[in-house]
Coordinates of all heavy atoms in Angstrom, one line a residue:
Y1 N 34.0 7.5 -30.1 CA 34.3 6.1 -30.4 C 35.7 5.8 -30.1 O 36.1 4.7 -29.6 CB 33.9 5.8 -31.8 CG 32.4 5.7 -32.0 CD1 31.8 6.4 -33.1 CD2 31.6 5.0 -31.1 CE1 30.4 6.3 -33.3 CE2 30.2 4.9 -31.3 CZ 29.6 5.5 -32.4 OH 28.3 5.4 -32.6
G2 N 36.6 6.6 -30.6 CA 38.1 6.3 -30.4 C 38.4 6.3 -29.0 O 39.2 5.4 -28.5
L3 N 37.8 7.2 -28.1 CA 38.1 7.2 -26.7 C 37.7 5.9 -26.1 O 38.4 5.2 -25.4 CB 37.4 8.4 -26.1 CG 37.5 8.4 -24.5 CD1 39.0 8.6 -24.1 CD2 36.7 9.6 -24.0
F4 N 36.4 5.5 -26.4 CA 35.9 4.3 -25.8 C 36.6 3.0 -26.3 O 36.9 2.1 -25.5 CB 34.4 4.2 -26.0 CG 33.6 5.2 -25.2 CD1 32.8 6.1 -25.9 CD2 33.7 5.2 -23.9 CE1 32.1 7.0 -25.2 CE2 33.0 6.2 -23.1 CZ 32.1 7.1 -23.8
L5 N 36.9 3.0 -27.6 CA 37.6 1.8 -28.1 C 39.0 1.8 -27.5 O 39.6 0.7 -27.2 CB 37.7 1.9 -29.6 CG 36.4 1.7 -30.4 CD1 36.5 2.0 -31.9 CD2 35.9 0.3 -30.1
G6 N 39.6 2.9 -27.3 CA 41.0 2.9 -26.7 C 40.9 2.4 -25.3 O 41.8 1.6 -24.9
I7 N 39.9 2.8 -24.5 CA 39.8 2.3 -23.2 C 39.6 0.8 -23.2 O 40.1 0.0 -22.4 CB 38.6 3.0 -22.5 CG1 39.0 4.5 -22.2 CG2 38.3 2.3 -21.1 CD1 37.8 5.3 -21.6
S8 N 38.7 0.3 -24.1 CA 38.4 -1.2 -24.2 C 39.7 -1.9 -24.6 O 40.0 -3.0 -24.0 CB 37.4 -1.4 -25.3 OG 36.2 -0.7 -24.9
A9 N 40.5 -1.4 -25.5 CA 41.7 -2.1 -25.9 C 42.7 -2.2 -24.7 O 43.4 -3.2 -24.5 CB 42.4 -1.4 -27.0
L10 N 42.8 -1.1 -23.9 CA 43.7 -1.2 -22.7 C 43.2 -2.2 -21.7 O 44.0 -2.9 -21.1 CB 43.7 0.2 -22.1 CG 44.5 1.3 -22.8 CD1 44.4 2.7 -22.2 CD2 46.0 0.9 -22.9
T11 N 41.9 -2.3 -21.6 CA 41.3 -3.2 -20.6 C 41.6 -4.7 -21.1 O 42.0 -5.5 -20.3 CB 39.8 -3.1 -20.5 OG1 39.5 -1.7 -20.1 CG2 39.2 -4.0 -19.5
V12 N 41.5 -4.9 -22.4 CA 41.9 -6.3 -22.9 C 43.3 -6.6 -22.7 O 43.7 -7.7 -22.3 CB 41.5 -6.3 -24.4 CG1 42.1 -7.6 -25.0 CG2 40.0 -6.2 -24.6
C13 N 44.2 -5.6 -22.9 CA 45.6 -5.8 -22.7 C 45.9 -6.1 -21.2 O 46.8 -6.9 -20.9 CB 46.4 -4.6 -23.1 SG 46.4 -4.3 -24.9
E14 N 45.2 -5.4 -20.3 CA 45.4 -5.6 -18.9 C 44.9 -7.1 -18.5 O 45.6 -7.8 -17.7 CB 44.6 -4.6 -18.1 CG 45.2 -3.2 -18.1 CD 44.3 -2.2 -17.3 OE1 43.2 -2.6 -16.9 OE2 44.7 -1.1 -17.2
F15 N 43.8 -7.5 -19.1 CA 43.4 -8.9 -18.8 C 44.4 -9.9 -19.4 O 44.8 -10.9 -18.7 CB 42.0 -9.2 -19.4 CG 40.9 -8.8 -18.6 CD1 40.1 -7.7 -18.9 CD2 40.6 -9.5 -17.4 CE1 39.0 -7.3 -18.1 CE2 39.6 -9.1 -16.6 CZ 38.8 -8.0 -16.9
L16 N 45.0 -9.6 -20.6 CA 46.0 -10.5 -21.1 C 47.3 -10.5 -20.3 O 47.9 -11.6 -20.0 CB 46.3 -10.1 -22.6 CG 45.3 -10.3 -23.6 CD1 45.7 -9.7 -25.0 CD2 45.1 -11.8 -23.8
D17 N 47.6 -9.3 -19.8 CA 48.8 -9.2 -18.9 C 48.6 -10.0 -17.6 O 49.5 -10.7 -17.2 CB 49.1 -7.7 -18.6 CG 50.3 -7.6 -17.8 OD1 51.4 -7.9 -18.2 OD2 50.1 -7.1 -16.6
F18 N 47.4 -9.9 -17.1 CA 47.1 -10.5 -15.9 C 47.1 -12.1 -16.1 O 47.6 -12.9 -15.3 CB 45.7 -10.1 -15.4 CG 45.2 -10.9 -14.2 CD1 45.7 -10.6 -12.9 CD2 44.2 -11.9 -14.3 CE1 45.3 -11.3 -11.8 CE2 43.9 -12.6 -13.2 CZ 44.3 -12.3 -11.9
G19 N 46.5 -12.5 -17.2 CA 46.5 -14.0 -17.5 C 47.9 -14.5 -17.7 O 48.3 -15.6 -17.2
I20 N 48.8 -13.8 -18.5 CA 50.1 -14.2 -18.7 C 50.9 -14.3 -17.4 O 51.6 -15.3 -17.1 CB 50.8 -13.3 -19.7 CG1 50.2 -13.5 -21.1 CG2 52.3 -13.6 -19.7 CD1 50.6 -12.4 -22.1
R21 N 50.7 -13.2 -16.5 CA 51.4 -13.3 -15.3 C 50.9 -14.4 -14.4 O 51.7 -15.0 -13.7 CB 51.2 -11.9 -14.5 CG 52.0 -10.8 -15.1 CD 51.6 -9.5 -14.5 NE 52.3 -8.3 -15.1 CZ 53.5 -7.9 -14.7 NH1 54.2 -8.6 -13.7 NH2 54.1 -6.9 -15.2
K22 N 49.7 -14.7 -14.4 CA 49.1 -15.8 -13.6 C 49.6 -17.1 -14.1 O 50.0 -18.0 -13.2 CB 47.6 -15.7 -13.7 CG 46.9 -16.7 -12.7 CD 47.0 -16.2 -11.3 CE 46.1 -17.0 -10.4 NZ 46.3 -16.7 -9.0
F23 N 49.7 -17.3 -15.4 CA 50.2 -18.5 -16.0 C 51.6 -18.7 -15.6 O 52.1 -19.8 -15.2 CB 50.0 -18.5 -17.5 CG 50.5 -19.7 -18.2 CD1 49.8 -20.9 -18.1 CD2 51.7 -19.6 -18.9 CE1 50.3 -22.1 -18.7 CE2 52.1 -20.8 -19.6 CZ 51.4 -22.0 -19.5
C24 N 52.4 -17.6 -15.7 CA 53.8 -17.7 -15.4 C 54.0 -18.0 -13.9 O 54.9 -18.8 -13.5 CB 54.6 -16.5 -15.8 SG 54.6 -16.1 -17.6
H25 N 53.3 -17.4 -13.1 CA 53.4 -17.6 -11.7 C 53.0 -19.1 -11.3 O 53.7 -19.7 -10.5 CB 52.4 -16.6 -10.9 CG 52.5 -16.9 -9.4 ND1 53.5 -16.5 -8.6 CD2 51.5 -17.4 -8.6 CE1 53.3 -16.8 -7.4 NE2 52.1 -17.4 -7.3
K26 N 52.1 -19.6 -11.9 CA 51.7 -21.0 -11.7 C 52.8 -22.0 -12.1 O 53.1 -23.0 -11.4 CB 50.4 -21.3 -12.4 CG 49.8 -22.7 -12.0 CD 48.5 -22.9 -12.7 CE 47.9 -24.2 -12.2 NZ 46.5 -24.5 -12.9
I27 N 53.4 -21.7 -13.3 CA 54.5 -22.6 -13.8 C 55.7 -22.6 -12.8 O 56.3 -23.6 -12.5 CB 54.9 -22.2 -15.2 CG1 53.8 -22.5 -16.2 CG2 56.2 -22.9 -15.6 CD1 54.0 -22.1 -17.6
L28 N 56.1 -21.4 -12.4 CA 57.2 -21.2 -11.5 C 56.9 -21.9 -10.1 O 57.8 -22.5 -9.5 CB 57.5 -19.7 -11.2 CG 58.0 -19.0 -12.4 CD1 58.2 -17.5 -12.1 CD2 59.4 -19.6 -12.8
S29 N 55.6 -21.8 -9.7 CA 55.3 -22.5 -8.4 C 55.4 -24.0 -8.6 O 55.9 -24.7 -7.6 CB 53.9 -22.1 -8.0 OG 53.7 -20.7 -7.8
E30 N 55.0 -24.5 -9.7 CA 55.1 -26.0 -9.9 C 56.5 -26.4 -9.9 O 56.9 -27.5 -9.3 CB 54.4 -26.4 -11.2 CG 52.9 -26.2 -11.2 CD 52.2 -27.3 -10.2 OE1 52.9 -28.4 -10.0 OE2 51.1 -27.0 -9.8
R31 N 57.4 -25.7 -10.5 CA 58.8 -26.0 -10.6 C 59.4 -26.0 -9.2 O 60.2 -26.9 -8.8 CB 59.6 -25.1 -11.5 CG 59.2 -25.3 -13.0 CD 60.0 -24.3 -13.9 NE 59.7 -24.5 -15.3 CZ 60.3 -23.8 -16.2 NH1 61.1 -22.7 -15.9 NH2 60.0 -24.1 -17.5
K32 N 59.1 -25.0 -8.5 CA 59.7 -24.9 -7.1 C 59.2 -26.1 -6.2 O 60.0 -26.7 -5.4 CB 59.3 -23.6 -6.4 CG 60.0 -22.4 -7.0 CD 59.5 -21.1 -6.3 CE 60.2 -19.9 -6.8 NZ 59.8 -18.7 -6.2
K33 N 58.0 -26.5 -6.4 CA 57.4 -27.6 -5.7 C 58.1 -28.9 -6.0 O 58.5 -29.7 -5.1 CB 55.9 -27.7 -5.9 CG 55.2 -28.7 -5.1 CD 53.7 -28.7 -5.4 CE 53.0 -29.8 -4.6 NZ 51.6 -29.8 -4.9
R34 N 58.5 -29.1 -7.3 CA 59.2 -30.3 -7.7 C 60.6 -30.4 -7.1 O 61.1 -31.4 -6.6 CB 59.3 -30.4 -9.2 CG 57.9 -30.8 -9.9 CD 58.1 -31.2 -11.3 NE 57.0 -30.9 -12.1 CZ 56.9 -29.9 -12.9 NH1 57.9 -29.1 -13.1 NH2 55.8 -29.8 -13.6
R35 N 61.2 -29.2 -7.1 CA 62.6 -29.2 -6.6 C 62.6 -29.5 -5.1 O 63.5 -30.2 -4.6 CB 63.2 -27.8 -6.8 CG 63.5 -27.5 -8.3 CD 64.0 -26.1 -8.5 NE 64.2 -25.9 -9.9 CZ 64.5 -24.7 -10.4 NH1 64.5 -23.6 -9.6 NH2 64.7 -24.5 -11.7
R36 N 61.7 -29.0 -4.4 CA 61.6 -29.3 -3.0 C 61.4 -30.8 -2.7 O 62.0 -31.4 -1.9 CB 60.5 -28.5 -2.3 CG 60.9 -27.1 -2.0 CD 60.0 -26.5 -1.0 NE 58.6 -26.5 -1.4 CZ 58.0 -25.5 -2.0 NH1 58.7 -24.4 -2.4 NH2 56.7 -25.6 -2.4
Q37 N 60.5 -31.4 -3.6 CA 60.3 -32.9 -3.4 C 61.5 -33.7 -3.7 O 61.8 -34.7 -3.2 CB 59.1 -33.3 -4.3 CG 57.8 -32.7 -3.8 CD 56.6 -33.1 -4.7 OE1 56.9 -33.6 -5.8 NE2 55.4 -32.8 -4.3
E38 N 62.3 -33.2 -4.8 CA 63.5 -34.0 -5.2 C 64.6 -33.9 -4.1 O 65.3 -34.8 -3.8 CB 64.0 -33.5 -6.5 CG 63.1 -33.8 -7.7 CD 63.6 -33.2 -9.0 OE1 64.6 -32.4 -8.9 OE2 63.0 -33.4 -10.0
K39 N 64.6 -32.7 -3.5 CA 65.7 -32.5 -2.5 C 65.3 -33.2 -1.2 O 66.2 -33.6 -0.4 CB 65.8 -31.0 -2.3 CG 67.0 -30.6 -1.4 CD 67.2 -29.1 -1.4 CE 68.4 -28.7 -0.6 NZ 68.6 -27.3 -0.6
Y40 N 64.0 -33.1 -0.8 CA 63.6 -33.7 0.5 C 62.5 -34.8 0.2 O 61.4 -34.5 0.4 CB 63.0 -32.7 1.4 CG 64.0 -31.5 1.7 CD1 63.8 -30.3 1.1 CD2 65.1 -31.7 2.6 CE1 64.7 -29.3 1.3 CE2 66.0 -30.7 2.8 CZ 65.7 -29.5 2.2 OH 66.6 -28.4 2.4
P41 N 63.0 -36.0 -0.3 CA 61.9 -37.0 -0.6 C 61.3 -37.6 0.6 O 62.0 -37.6 1.7 CB 62.8 -38.1 -1.3 CG 64.2 -37.9 -0.9 CD 64.4 -36.4 -0.6

């Protein structure tokens, strides 16, 4: 049980890490897009 629960916890952490990275990547992409529009209207 400990082995399987440990594997499940790592999988959840990987999904959380993937979600956080995806969210951060989207925010950074939006900021870069605004800067380009402000610089080159």
Side-chain angles (χ1 to χ4, degrees):
Y1 283 134
L3 174 64
F4 289 122
L5 289 174
I7 293 174
S8 300
L10 287 174
T11 304
V12 171
C13 292
E14 287 177 353
F15 275 112
L16 289 174
D17 179 68
F18 175 76
I20 293 171
R21 287 175 181 271
K22 189 71 175 175
F23 178 73
C24 294
H25 178 72
K26 189 174 182 180
I27 292 175
L28 291 174
S29 298
E30 291 290 335
R31 288 181 178 177
K32 288 180 180 179
K33 186 178 180 180
R34 287 196 208 101
R35 287 175 184 172
R36 283 197 300 268
Q37 290 177 350
E38 291 176 354
K39 189 174 182 178
Y40 305 102

